[in-house]
C-alpha cells in the first residue's frame, strides 16, 4: 500500500509548538508511507491541490493529514481525495492541534507525540477498506416541536418553501413566552401586536397542520423517514364545534383555577381560553378544578354551550405522522422562585418574578395593565428589581447568564415610570450585559431619561417590615451597605431548560448538557444541527436567547431542512456497525445499549436468533461493538484489527525510543 502523509503548520497554531517539518521527515520511515511533506495551511486551496497532485504523481492509495480536529475538516479532506480519484474512506486524520500543540508548550514533547499520532493514523489507514454509501428515499414533510416565536418562524419558512409542516404545541394556544409579554425591547413594540399576525399566518396556512395541547409520545425511524406518535390530550371540548364565544367561561362556577398564562398572579375559570388572541381560540376544561370532575356534579358549561361542544367523556388520542426531518423549538422554563429563600420568594406576596410583573403591565392581563401590589391591590410607589436571581450563581448550580434579564429589567423600569410617573425605580445588578443592536442605548435611556437608579451589587436579604419589603444589599461602587424600603420587589429569575426537556431528548436521541439545554453539533460551524441526522434546533431550547436570536435560529433551522429536502434521495454513511452472523450468539445486548434503536432481532432459516443492524438508523457511535461479548459486531473503519494496529504502532514507537 502507498500512503501519503501531509503535516499542517496551521500558521503558528500548530507550528508554534510542534515541529511539523520533523514530523513529516519522521513519517517517511513508517511502513507503507510513499510520500510525506509539511505545508503551511493544508486546508487552503493550494494545500488541497498539493494533496491531489501528490496522489497522482506518487500513485497513492491512502492519505493521512495531520492537522486540526476531524470534526472541522475531515469531510473537507475526504472530498479532496475523492476529487483525485481515491475512495473517500481511504483517509485518516491525526489531530495534532487539540491533542498536541494546544495542550503543552514543550515543543520537543509535542513533536514526539505528534509523530506517534501520525504513526497510528498510518497504521490504521493501511487497514482501511473501500466503503460506498447507499441511497434511500426521503419523506419531504417536517415536524416542528414547539410553537413559540422560534417554532412558528421555522414552520412558516418551511411552509413558504413548499413543505408540509406538522406543528406540535403542548399548550392550548400557540405563541409561547412572547404571547405573555407586554412590550419588547429595545423598540418597546407591543408584543402581541407583532406576534399576533404571525400566529394568524400559522393558524391559517394550508401547509401547516397544527396540533395544540399535544405532546410527542414516541419517535422512531431515521433521517428522511421518521415516524412520530403524537398524544392529543383531552380538552373535554369538541374543538370542531367550539366557536370561542366564551359563554362557558362567564357561567363557570369554579373561578379559582390556576391561571398558567398569567403565571398565577390571578385566578381563572375551570373552563377557559388562555388569552383573547389565542390561536386556536378554543375553550379547554382543566379537570383539576372542574366541579364536574372533582365533585361529580355541575355541568353548567354543557348546559350553556350554544353548540353542544362540551364532552366530559373525551379521552386522549394518539395520532401517527410520517416526517423526514424534525425541528425542536421547545423554548425555556423559569426556575422555581422558592429556591431563592433569602429573597422571600414564594413566602411574601409582594416579591414576584419578572414574568409575573410583565402580566401586571399587560393591558390584557389580570389588572388590565394597572400595576398593583398583590398583597393589597394598591399602586406601588417604590419598586426594586433584582437581576441575576438564581443565574450566574454556582451555589444554585446555574453559573450561566440568562441572557435577556438585563434588557427586560431596563424595559420594565421604563414602563413602570410610564405607568406611574411619580414612582422610584431601583435596579440591583452585578454587571450589565447589553450586546445587541440598540441594547446599550436602551439601558442608558432607562437610567438617564427615565431616572432608574442602578446599584451595582448583590442583594443579601429581602424581608417584610410593616406594609413594606426591606431590600438589603451592598453598593460595590461606593463600598457601602444599602437598604431600600420597597413596595414591590421584582426578581429576574434564571432561565432554565423547558420542563420535560430531558425526556424529549431521550425520545429524539439528541444530547443535552448538564442544565438540560440541547447540544448543537458544533457551536460555530453547525449551530442549529444536532448529532442525530435530520434533527435541528431553534431558539432557547439550546440556551437562553432573546427574540431576535430565536427568530434567526428558526429561519436557520428551516433553511437546513429545505437544503436537506432539495435532494430526492439521501446518502447514508457506510461507517456503521455490521454483524458477523456466524459469531453472533443472539444475546442482543447490543440492541439494549444502542441509543438510536438501530439494532433489531432477526431469525435465520435454521431458527437461530441474531442481531441485525438497520443501516439507515445506525449512527456509527460504536457502543454496540464495545458491548458485544463474542465480538461479533464490528464498526466499519473502526474494527478490532484497525484499533489493534494503532496500538501496536504506538507500542513500536515506545520500543524504538526506549531502545534508542
Amino acid at each position: 500500500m502507498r500512503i501519503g502523509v501531509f503535516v499542517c503548520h496551521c500558521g503558528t497554531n500548530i507550528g508554534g509548538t510542534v515541529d511539523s517539518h520533523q514530523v513529516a521527515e519522521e513519517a517517511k520511515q513508517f511502513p507503507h508511507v510513499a510520500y510525506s511533506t509539511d505545508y503551511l495551511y493544508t486546508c487552503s486551496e493550494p494545500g488541497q491541490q498539493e494533496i491531489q497532485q501528490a496522489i497522482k504523481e506518487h500513485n497513492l492509495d491512502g492519505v493521512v493529514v495531520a492537522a486540526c480536529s476531524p470534526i472541522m475538516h475531515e469531510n473537507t479532506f475526504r472530498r479532496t481525495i475523492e476529487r483525485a480519484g481515491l475512495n473517500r474512506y481511504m483517509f485518516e486524520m491525526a489531530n495534532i492541534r487539540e491533542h498536541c500543540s494546544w495542550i503543552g508548550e514543550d515543543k520537543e514533547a509535542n513533536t514526539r507525540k505528534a509523530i506517534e499520532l501520525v504513526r497510528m493514523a498510518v497504521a490504521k489507514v493501511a487497514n482501511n477498506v473501500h466503503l460506498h454509501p447507499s441511497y434511500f428515499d426521503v419523506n419531504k414533510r417536517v415536524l416542528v416541536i414547539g410553537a413559540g416565536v422560534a417554532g412558528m418562524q421555522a414552520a412558516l419558512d418551511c411552509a413558504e418553501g413548499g413543505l408540509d409542516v406538522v406543528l406540535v404545541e403542548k399548550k392550548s394556544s400557540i405563541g409561547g413566552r412572547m404571547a405573555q409579554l407586554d412590550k419588547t425591547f429595545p423598540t418597546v413594540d407591543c408584543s402581541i401586536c407583532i406576534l399576533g399576525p404571525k400566529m394568524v399566518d400559522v393558524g391559517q396556512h394550508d401547509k401547516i397542520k397544527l396540533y395544540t395541547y399535544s405532546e410527542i409520545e414516541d419517535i422512531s425511524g431515521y433521517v428522511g423517514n421518521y415516524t412520530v406518535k403524537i398524544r392529543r390530550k383531552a380538552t373535554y371540548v369538541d374543538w370542531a364545534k367550539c366557536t370561542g364565544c366564551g359563554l362557558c367561561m362567564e357561567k363557570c362556577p369554579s373561578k379559582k383555577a390556576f391561571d398558567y398564562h398569567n403565571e398565577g398572579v390571578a385566578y381563572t375559570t375551570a373552563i377557559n381560553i388562555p388569552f383573547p388572541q389565542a390561536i386556536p381560540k378554543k375553550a379547554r376544561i382543566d379537570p383539576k378544578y372542574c366541579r364536574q370532575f372533582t365533585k361529580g356534579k355541575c355541568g353548567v358549561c354543557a348546559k350553556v354551550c350554544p353548540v353542544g361542544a362540551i364532552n366530559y367523556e373525551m379521552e386522549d388520542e394518539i395520532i401517527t405522522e410520517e416526517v423526514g426531518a424534525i425541528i425542536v423549538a421547545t423554548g425555556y422554563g423559569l426556575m422555581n422562585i422558592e429556591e431563592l429563600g433569602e429573597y422571600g420568594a414564594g413566602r411574601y406576596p409582594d416579591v414576584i418574578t419578572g414574568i409575573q410583573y410583565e402580566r401586571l403591565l399587560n393591558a390584557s392581563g389580570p389588572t388590565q395593565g394597572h400595576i398593583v401590589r398583590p398583597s393589597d391591590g394598591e399602586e406601588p410607589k417604590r419598586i426594586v428589581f433584582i437581576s441575576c436571581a438564581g443565574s450566574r450563581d454556582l451555589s444554585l448550580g446555574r453559573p450561566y447568564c440568562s441572557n435577556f434579564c438585563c434588557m427586560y429589567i431596563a424595559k420594565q423600569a421604563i414602563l413602570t415610570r410610564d405607568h406611574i410617573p411619580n414612582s422610584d425605580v431601583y435596579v440591583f445588578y452585578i454587571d450589565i450585559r447589553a450586546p445587541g443592536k440598540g441594547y446599550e442605548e436602551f439601558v442608558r435611556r432607562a437610567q438617564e431619561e427615565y431616572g432608574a437608579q442602578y446599584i451595582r451589587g448583590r442583594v443579601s436579604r429581602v424581608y417584610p417590615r410593616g406594609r413594606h419589603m426591606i431590600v438589603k444589599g451592598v453598593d460595590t461602587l461606593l463600598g457601602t451597605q444599602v437598604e431600600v424600603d420597597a413596595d414591590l420587589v421584582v426578581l429576574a429569575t434564571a432561565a432554565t431548560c423547558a420542563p420535560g426537556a430531558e425526556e424529549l431528548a431521550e425520545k429524539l436521541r439528541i444530547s443535552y448538557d448538564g442544565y438540560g439545554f440541547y447540544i448543537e453539533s458544533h457551536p460555530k460551524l453547525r449551530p442549529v444541527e444536532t448529532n442525530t441526522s435530520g434533527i435541528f434546533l431553534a431558539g432557547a431550547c439550546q440556551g437562553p436567547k432573546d427574540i431576535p436570536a430565536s427568530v434567526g435560529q428558526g429561519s436557520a433551522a428551516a433553511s437546513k431542512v429545505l437544503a436537506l429536502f432539495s435532494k430526492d434521495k439521501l446518502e447514508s454513511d457506510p461507517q456503521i456497525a455490521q454483524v458477523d452472523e456466524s459469531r453472533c450468539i443472539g444475546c442482543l445486548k447490543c440492541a439494549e445499549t444502542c441509543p438510536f434503536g438501530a439494532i433489531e432481532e432477526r431469525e435465520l432459516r435454521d431458527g437461530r436468533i441474531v442481531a441485525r443492524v438497520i443501516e439507515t438508523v445506525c449512527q456509527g457511535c460504536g457502543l454496540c461493538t464495545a458491548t458485544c461479548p463474542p465480538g461479533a459486531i464490528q464498526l466499519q473503519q473502526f474494527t478490532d484489527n484497525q484499533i489493534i494496529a494503532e496500538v501496536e504502532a504506538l507500542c513500536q514507537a515506545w520500543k524504538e525510543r526506549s531502545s534508542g
Side-chain angles (χ1 to χ4, degrees):
M1 190 167 186
R2 298 178 62 80
I3 297 172
V5 175
F6 303 85
V7 185
C8 184
H9 290 250
C10 197
T12 57
N13 249 326
I14 294 172
T17 52
V18 172
D19 188 339
S20 299
H21 180 71
Q22 185 185 344
V23 175
E25 289 299 310
E26 290 283 342
K28 289 177 180 175
Q29 311 305 317
F30 299 158
H32 305 294
V33 173
Y35 178 75
S36 180
T37 188
D38 56 296
Y39 200 79
L40 189 59
Y41 291 106
T42 310
C43 63
S44 65
E45 188 175 3
Q48 293 184 49
Q49 287 174 348
E50 174 155 333
I51 293 174
Q52 292 173 330
Q53 192 175 347
I55 290 171
K56 293 172 183 173
E57 287 182 0
H58 299 276
N59 195 27
L60 302 178
D61 45 15
V63 168
V64 170
V65 170
C68 54
S69 165
I71 294 174
M72 188 172 291
H73 280 315
E74 187 173 57
N75 284 333
T76 303
F77 291 120
R78 279 186 171 161
R79 287 194 295 267
T80 300
I81 70 166
E82 195 170 46
R83 286 195 292 271
L86 283 186
N87 182 281
R88 69 169 78 166
Y89 295 98
M90 298 305 291
F91 171 80
E92 290 298 329
M93 204 161 176
N95 185 352
I96 62 170
R97 189 180 69 178
E98 280 89 335
H99 293 174
C100 298
S101 67
W102 279 6
I103 58 172
E105 296 180 355
D106 185 339
K107 192 166 186 175
E108 185 180 346
N110 291 346
T111 304
R112 189 166 61 243
K113 184 177 179 183
I115 292 168
E116 290 171 355
L117 291 179
V118 171
R119 183 194 285 263
M120 292 169 68
V122 169
K124 183 167 185 288
V125 80
N127 287 276
N128 278 14
V129 295
H130 288 205
L131 297 179
H132 301 280
S134 57
Y135 296 87
F136 55 91
D137 293 329
V138 56
N139 181 343
K140 295 185 179 181
R141 300 178 79 220
V142 59
L143 167 71
V144 180
I145 307 173
V149 67
M152 289 196 297
Q153 185 67 43
L156 283 171
D157 286 348
C158 287
E160 290 298 313
L163 302 180
D164 288 323
V165 180
V166 178
L167 179 57
V168 177
E169 167 58 45
K170 68 179 179 181
K171 293 182 178 176
S172 60
S173 170
I174 61 175
R177 289 280 178 195
M178 191 174 170
Q180 294 180 286
L181 306 182
D182 178 40
K183 302 285 194 303
T184 60
F185 58 78
T187 51
V188 200
D189 290 320
C190 167
S191 182
I192 198 66
C193 298
I194 54 178
L195 184 68
K198 197 177 285 291
M199 292 169 64
V200 173
D201 288 346
V202 169
Q204 296 182 349
H205 206 293
D206 57 2
K207 286 278 189 182
I208 298 177
K209 184 186 283 188
L210 183 59
Y211 294 109
T212 54
Y213 204 51
S214 304
E215 292 187 0
I216 301 300
E217 185 75 8
D218 183 57
I219 296 176
S220 59
Y222 50 91
V223 56
N225 294 278
Y226 285 109
T227 300
V228 184
K229 291 182 178 176
I230 301 166
R231 177 179 290 275
R232 294 197 75 178
K233 293 181 287 185
T235 59
Y236 307 104
V237 177
D238 186 345
W239 282 7
K241 296 178 181 176
C242 180
T243 61
C245 67
L247 191 58
C248 53
M249 294 176 62
E250 291 179 20
K251 302 298 182 184
C252 179
S254 178
K255 300 185 184 301
K256 292 285 185 179
F258 187 86
D259 191 340
Y260 295 95
H261 187 71
N262 285 320
E263 295 288 334
V265 292
Y267 293 113
T268 185
T269 49
I271 183 168
N272 65 81
I273 298 169
F275 54 101
Q277 301 89 348
I279 289 181
K281 192 175 181 181
K282 308 289 183 182
R284 177 185 73 88
I285 292 176
D286 189 338
K288 283 193 293 186
Y289 301 97
C290 176
R291 295 183 182 182
Q292 185 66 34
F293 287 92
T294 57
K295 298 181 179 178
K297 59 180 180 181
C298 182
V300 171
C301 52
K303 293 172 188 170
V304 301
C305 180
V307 294
I310 308 300
N311 178 6
Y312 299 119
E313 305 300 323
M314 184 179 284
E315 294 182 351
D316 291 358
E317 183 183 3
I318 302 296
I319 295 167
T320 301
E321 293 282 358
E322 306 285 342
V323 298
I326 299 170
I327 296 174
V328 188
T330 47
Y332 65 95
L334 291 169
M335 71 172 292
N336 182 0
I337 61 170
E338 292 184 4
E339 292 182 50
L340 301 167
E342 69 274 25
Y343 296 156
R347 282 181 289 153
Y348 308 127
D350 292 336
V351 180
I352 63 175
T353 66
I355 192 71
Q356 288 176 323
Y357 193 67
E358 198 77 32
R359 295 309 302 158
L360 293 179
L361 290 167
N362 198 302
S364 65
T367 59
Q368 289 76 50
H370 299 297
I371 303 173
V372 296
R373 299 203 316 174
S375 61
D376 55 15
E378 291 187 7
E379 187 176 81
K381 298 299 182 186
R382 183 170 291 185
I383 301 167
V384 173
F385 294 89
I386 301 175
S387 67
C388 301
S391 54
R392 302 179 68 192
D393 192 337
L394 273 173
S395 65
L396 292 173
R398 294 186 193 85
Y400 58 85
C401 171
S402 287
N403 188 286
F404 40 71
C405 307
C406 290
M407 293 308 300
Y408 82 65
I409 284 179
K411 177 196 71 176
Q412 291 180 346
I414 288 174
L415 294 176
T416 300
R417 294 278 290 173
D418 276 340
H419 281 65
I420 313 172
N422 59 343
S423 61
D424 295 322
V425 173
Y426 297 86
V427 177
F428 281 87
Y429 70 101
I430 299 175
D431 53 39
I432 298 172
R433 298 184 172 183
K437 184 178 180 181
Y439 286 12
E440 183 66 28
E441 297 91 322
F442 187 72
V443 174
R444 193 179 298 278
R445 189 178 164 204
Q447 296 170 323
E448 296 176 355
E449 187 177 337
Y450 285 85
Q453 298 181 53
Y454 275 64
I455 302 169
R456 199 186 79 172
R458 269 194 183 277
V459 171
S460 59
R461 191 179 168 211
V462 178
Y463 59 95
R465 181 187 294 163
R467 297 178 63 248
H468 304 286
M469 301 302 300
I470 304 300
V471 181
K472 289 192 72 171
V474 60
D475 188 328
T476 55
L477 292 178
L478 297 177
T480 59
Q481 295 287 326
V482 179
E483 187 174 292
V484 180
D485 186 354
D487 295 322
L488 185 65
V489 178
V490 181
L491 306 179
T493 46
T496 65
C497 66
E502 291 93 342
E503 290 81 359
L504 182 61
E506 297 294 334
K507 293 174 184 173
L508 291 163
R509 300 185 177 96
I510 60 176
S511 304
Y512 55 93
D513 62 23
Y515 312 110
F517 292 112
Y518 300 145
I519 298 175
E520 63 284 336
S521 290
H522 192 284
K524 297 180 181 66
L525 301 180
R526 301 173 68 190
V528 298
E529 297 170 67
T530 68
N531 286 330
T532 302
S533 299
I535 299 182
F536 305 93
L537 305 176
C541 65
Q542 195 181 39
K545 287 185 177 62
D546 61 10
I547 294 169
S550 298
V551 171
Q553 273 209 319
S555 291
S559 71
K560 284 290 180 184
V561 172
L562 289 166
L564 180 72
F565 288 173
S566 63
K567 302 168 186 170
D568 293 328
K569 288 186 178 292
L570 296 180
E571 182 182 297
S572 67
D573 190 341
Q575 292 186 123
I576 58 173
Q578 200 169 52
V579 178
D580 182 349
E581 294 180 349
S582 64
R583 298 177 65 184
C584 180
I585 58 175
C587 66
L588 296 174
K589 290 186 184 297
C590 51
E592 294 172 11
T593 56
C594 178
F596 303 100
I599 299 177
E600 62 182 7
E601 179 182 308
R602 181 189 178 202
E603 184 175 352
L604 301 179
R605 288 183 178 177
D606 59 4
R608 199 159 56 87
I609 301 297
V610 296
R612 175 183 171 273
V613 177
I614 306 169
E615 294 183 3
T616 45
V617 181
C618 180
Q619 300 293 311
C621 69
L623 271 179
C624 54
T625 62
T627 307
C628 182
I633 189 164
Q634 295 282 301
L635 186 63
Q636 296 295 298
Q637 298 301 54
F638 291 94
T639 62
D640 290 348
N641 288 340
Q642 287 175 301
I643 294 170
I644 289 170
E646 287 185 279
V647 174
E648 285 181 345
L650 184 60
C651 292
Q652 182 65 26
W654 290 344
K655 185 178 177 183
E656 290 176 3
R657 196 163 61 242
S658 58
S659 63

